[in-house]
Amino acid sequence: MQDGGQDSRQDRVSPRRERLHSFIGFRLIAALAIIATVGIGTAALSVYVFSSYGETVSDLVAIESGRQADISRFAEVATGIRADMPRLVFARSTETRQESRARLETAVAGLADLLERIGRTLSDELPGSADLAADLPQALAADIARIDANVARHLEIRQQVDALVVRLNRLHDEALREIEPLIVDTDFNIRVALDALEGAAPAAEGAAPQTELLEGELSFAETLWSAHAHVNLLIGKLLRVAQAQDRDVIELLRQDVGEAVAGTGDMVSLLAQAASTVTLRQALADIARLGAPGGELFDLKLSEAALAGESAVIVDEAGDKLDRLSRLVSGAVASAGRRSVEAAASARDALARGTVLLLGLGGLLAVVALVVGWLTVGRQFIPRLSSLLKSMRAIAEGELDAPVNVTGRDEMGQLADALRTLQGRSQLARRRRLELVEINERLTHEIGERRQVEAKLLETQEELVQAGKMAALGQLSAGIAHEFNQPLAAMRSYLHNARRYLDQANTGKVREKLEQVSDLVLRLADTSNHLKTLARRRTREAASCDPVPIVLRAAELFRMQPGAARIAFDLPQEAGGPMVRADANRLEQVLINLIGNAVDAVEASEAPRVAVAVRAAGDRVEIEVADNGCGIAEDVLAKVFDPFFTTKGPGRGLGLGLSISYNIVRDFDGSLRFAPAEGGGTRAILELHRADEAQEARDAAHGGI
Ligand SMILES: Nc1ncnc2c1ncn2[C@@H]1O[C@H](COP(=O)(O)OP(=O)(O)OP(=O)(O)O)[C@@H](O)[C@H]1O
Ligand SMILES: [Mg+2]
């Protein structure tokens, strides 16, 4: 009763209260929530720190690599400009000049874009980077324009110098064309004069003019050769002047050429003696004029040298500008690189600090986890759980009185309550089990005793059955003796008659009598067989058998009795009807009892009649033994199957017939019942299983009963 009350109290705990009492769950959830919050915070912080510093570093890398790319591009463009400027300076044609200028202008425009970009990224390192990006390309463009103008002028001068060189070459050719015939003529005159001198006597009158003439020719020839050499020398010097580029070289040549030009004047004066040298002198004078130190050639060459020098200066200035710019940009990039390195170092330091912070937070998290774990699990959970486990183990090992010390309203406390309830129930169950064991032992003892009684009873029953059979046999023995005496008397009579007929040699009659004897012998044998069968102990085997011959055999026993002569037996005539599952001997025993009872019942009847019918009813076979006897009263009917119940007088009945029959029929899994017959009397209805054909075949194969 107490347990039931506790159960009902526990059943009444609402889910809401259960949730409220779920302290362990709450504490664990709270502890896990704290740990999870700290863990998530740490993770979020680490993600933020590492991603922000990662972005910083990647930005630095991108900026630095962009700067490095710009620097190398700047160096490339500057080198291109440096290389293209001399090409412009030394351009020898207008096409080359224009091409070089266009390339330089493109490079300068590219440089302007590059400087603008560099200036943007290096605004801290290059404070005036915007001006620089605007000024330097403009200055370079102006330099290029100046160089281009110089080169244009230079090309014009060169054309003029080339024209002068052409003129000088022509004058040179002209002078040589004049000198060479004169030299040939003079040679001829000299040979003639020499020939004349060789033919005349040295002291002769005409020898003196010939000598003068010869001297004059010789002198003229010398002048001509000098003029020839002089003009070649002068032209050679002037052509060197035309080729010279350096101002100092030109100045040196001017002095040299000045002396040569002065010598040309003397030469012209000498040649002036001969009238045939007019053209030659004119050519020499023209050459001297063109090549004079203050003349056109030197003017042009000095202008050309001046232009070249000016261009060289402009190129140097442009180179200086590019150098200065290179240094500026390189310095700025180096400074920016240092700042990038510093930024990277500061990012690394920050990451290191972040790592230390994260480690600290991780340690804090571990400490929090340990403290929370110790508070919730170590102090609250484990000692109580251990105590509970100890109690459970003790109870499981049979110590049902072991104390359960854990208390509380949480799950552990509820578990302890449940364990206490279980303990109470187990104690109750143990008490009940002990009682049951006691009862069981008692019952086992009683069953043993009953089994012994039953075995004894069975034995007694078997003996009683046998005794019943013997009693029936005893009762029948008078009738049997009568039956045996009758046939024996008849046989004696038949044999006597047969002997007589044999003496008369009436073989037909002898045969007839012998056959009658034979029939009687057979009948006696049958009777003998019946008695053997009745005396045999029962067997429990049921087989397939035809009930009709069994009925006839059983009825035959009674028909032989002397008192049975007036009884009309109505018996089944045909064998081969439905077969039944039964042991033939025991079935015969049942039928003997039933027919015997019917014969006893009709004793006082006026027209006694006993009818036995065999009929099939579905899978059953009914054997009905009906009589028109005294019938069975209601109170008697309730007891007819009781052993030793009889209404018959002493020496007439033991009251065992129906009891034994009932047991036999039960062994066949059949039934036996009584019903009143129409017009008075009784119907004993025996119901047996019908034997199927397959079973019949098997029984036939085994040779039947
Ligand atoms: N056909 C019947 N008509 C009237 N009464 C019967 C009939 N069959 C049985 N009884 C009654 O049932 C009683 C019990 O029968 P049961 O065969 O067991 O014993 P019994 O015939 O008296 O003696 P036993 O058979 O041992 O010689 C009988 O004494 C009788 O009163
Ligand atoms: Mg009987």
Side-chain angles (χ1 to χ4, degrees), residues 593 597 648 657:
N593 278 326
N597 283 347
K648 295 168 189 172

Side-chain angles (χ1 to χ4, degrees), residues 296-501:
E296 195 178 355
L297 178 60
F298 277 99
D299 283 350
L300 287 171
K301 287 309 288 182
L302 285 172
S303 299
E304 189 185 7
L307 284 170
E310 196 180 330
S311 292
V313 169
I314 295 168
V315 168
D316 286 346
E317 285 174 4
D320 287 347
K321 285 173 193 154
L322 286 170
D323 284 346
R324 261 193 297 117
L325 191 60
S326 284
R327 281 195 296 278
L328 204 62
V329 171
S330 299
V333 167
S335 160
R338 277 194 298 281
R339 278 183 51 201
S340 295
V341 168
E342 284 167 13
S346 99
R348 195 178 57 235
D349 292 346
L351 277 177
R353 281 197 300 279
T355 305
V356 170
L357 184 65
L358 283 176
L359 285 173
L361 282 173
L364 180 66
L365 186 64
V367 169
V368 168
L370 282 173
V371 169
V372 170
W374 181 71
L375 285 174
T376 56
V377 178
R379 275 190 65 183
Q380 300 272 344
F381 197 65
I382 290 178
R384 295 169 74 214
L385 188 65
S386 299
S387 168
L388 198 58
L389 195 64
K390 203 171 144 193
S391 303
M392 285 172 102
R393 274 212 187 107
I395 290 167
E397 283 166 8
E399 257 184 74
L400 295 181
D401 301 328
V404 181
N405 296 323
V406 175
T407 53
R409 293 171 62 199
D410 60 6
E411 288 87 343
M412 202 88 75
Q414 290 171 22
L415 198 63
D417 286 345
L419 185 61
R420 276 189 281 273
T421 305
L422 183 71
Q423 193 179 22
R425 286 189 181 173
S426 298
Q427 285 167 347
L428 189 67
R430 184 167 66 177
R431 277 199 299 276
R432 284 184 184 159
R433 197 176 65 242
L434 289 173
E435 285 169 15
L436 280 175
V437 166
E438 209 176 311
I439 292 167
N440 198 26
E441 277 173 6
R442 221 163 42 227
L443 279 176
T444 308
H445 183 66
E446 280 176 15
I447 286 168
E449 281 179 351
R450 280 187 192 182
R451 276 204 184 126
Q452 282 175 359
V453 170
E454 198 177 309
K456 208 172 270 179
L457 204 63
L458 211 61
E459 209 177 310
T460 311
Q461 192 186 20
E462 288 287 328
E463 283 168 4
L464 279 173
V465 167
Q466 195 61 19
K469 279 186 192 174
M470 289 302 131
L473 202 62
Q475 283 181 355
L476 287 174
S477 57
I480 291 164
H482 174 75
E483 191 67 16
F484 270 74
N485 285 336
Q486 242 188 354
L488 285 173
M491 280 165 69
R492 201 165 45 240
S493 165
Y494 290 149
L495 286 171
H496 176 77
N497 290 338
R499 207 177 297 123
R500 261 192 321 118
Y501 286 130

Side-chain angles (χ1 to χ4, degrees), residues 592-594 596-598 600 646 648 652-658:
I592 287 168
N593 278 326
L594 295 179
N597 283 347
D600 289 345
T646 179
K648 295 168 189 172
R652 295 206 55 200
L654 286 172
L656 284 174
L658 287 182

Side-chain angles (χ1 to χ4, degrees), residues 131-198:
D131 298 342
L132 189 73
D135 293 350
L136 185 88
Q138 278 181 10
L140 281 174
D143 288 344
I144 288 163
R146 279 168 61 202
I147 292 169
D148 187 55
N150 279 358
V151 172
R153 176 76 190 118
H154 193 165
L155 286 175
E156 282 175 18
I157 291 171
R158 179 152 287 279
Q159 279 179 351
Q160 290 171 353
V161 168
D162 288 345
L164 272 178
V165 168
V166 169
R167 257 176 87 188
L168 282 171
N169 282 332
R170 207 170 52 238
L171 289 170
H172 182 208
D173 289 346
E174 202 177 311
L176 291 178
R177 273 201 309 273
E178 285 297 320
I179 289 170
E180 281 165 3
L182 288 171
I183 287 172
V184 171
D185 289 349
T186 309
D187 281 350
F188 180 76
N189 290 337
I190 288 168
R191 259 195 313 271
V192 169
L194 282 172
D195 288 345
L197 278 175
E198 280 174 7

